[in-house]
Short mmCIF file of all heavy atoms in Angstrom, two decimals:
data_model
loop_
_atom_site.label_atom_id
_atom_site.label_comp_id
_atom_site.label_asym_id
_atom_site.label_seq_id
_atom_site.Cartn_x
_atom_site.Cartn_y
_atom_site.Cartn_z
N LEU A 12 6.00 3.08 -1.55
CA LEU A 12 5.09 1.97 -1.89
C LEU A 12 5.91 0.72 -1.60
O LEU A 12 7.03 0.48 -2.00
CB LEU A 12 4.71 1.98 -3.32
CG LEU A 12 4.01 0.80 -3.83
CD1 LEU A 12 2.57 0.80 -3.16
CD2 LEU A 12 3.81 0.81 -5.37
N LEU A 20 2.94 -7.70 -7.02
CA LEU A 20 3.68 -7.01 -8.03
C LEU A 20 3.02 -7.20 -9.43
O LEU A 20 2.96 -6.24 -10.21
CB LEU A 20 5.12 -7.57 -8.08
CG LEU A 20 6.07 -6.88 -9.04
CD1 LEU A 20 6.17 -5.43 -8.81
CD2 LEU A 20 7.46 -7.55 -9.00
N PRO A 26 3.08 -3.23 -17.82
CA PRO A 26 4.02 -3.47 -18.92
C PRO A 26 3.50 -2.77 -20.24
O PRO A 26 4.38 -2.57 -21.16
CB PRO A 26 4.02 -4.93 -19.06
CG PRO A 26 2.71 -5.46 -18.58
CD PRO A 26 2.32 -4.42 -17.49
N ASN A 41 -8.24 12.21 -6.56
CA ASN A 41 -8.73 13.58 -6.95
C ASN A 41 -7.66 14.69 -6.81
O ASN A 41 -7.91 15.75 -7.24
CB ASN A 41 -10.03 13.89 -6.15
CG ASN A 41 -9.80 13.99 -4.71
OD1 ASN A 41 -8.91 13.47 -4.19
ND2 ASN A 41 -10.69 14.75 -4.01
N THR A 54 9.63 -0.34 -2.63
CA THR A 54 10.18 -1.54 -1.93
C THR A 54 9.38 -2.84 -2.38
O THR A 54 8.14 -2.77 -2.29
CB THR A 54 10.14 -1.40 -0.39
OG1 THR A 54 10.76 -0.16 -0.08
CG2 THR A 54 10.86 -2.44 0.35
N ALA A 65 11.28 7.84 -10.67
CA ALA A 65 10.75 9.10 -11.07
C ALA A 65 9.85 8.81 -12.22
O ALA A 65 10.07 7.89 -13.01
CB ALA A 65 11.83 10.06 -11.54
N LEU A 104 9.14 -10.98 -12.36
CA LEU A 104 7.95 -11.52 -12.81
C LEU A 104 8.10 -12.53 -14.02
O LEU A 104 7.07 -12.95 -14.67
CB LEU A 104 6.94 -10.37 -13.37
CG LEU A 104 6.37 -9.50 -12.29
CD1 LEU A 104 5.65 -8.35 -12.91
CD2 LEU A 104 5.59 -10.19 -11.23
#
Side-chain angles (χ1 to χ4, degrees):
L12 177 66
L20 182 59
N41 62 339
T54 307
L104 291 174

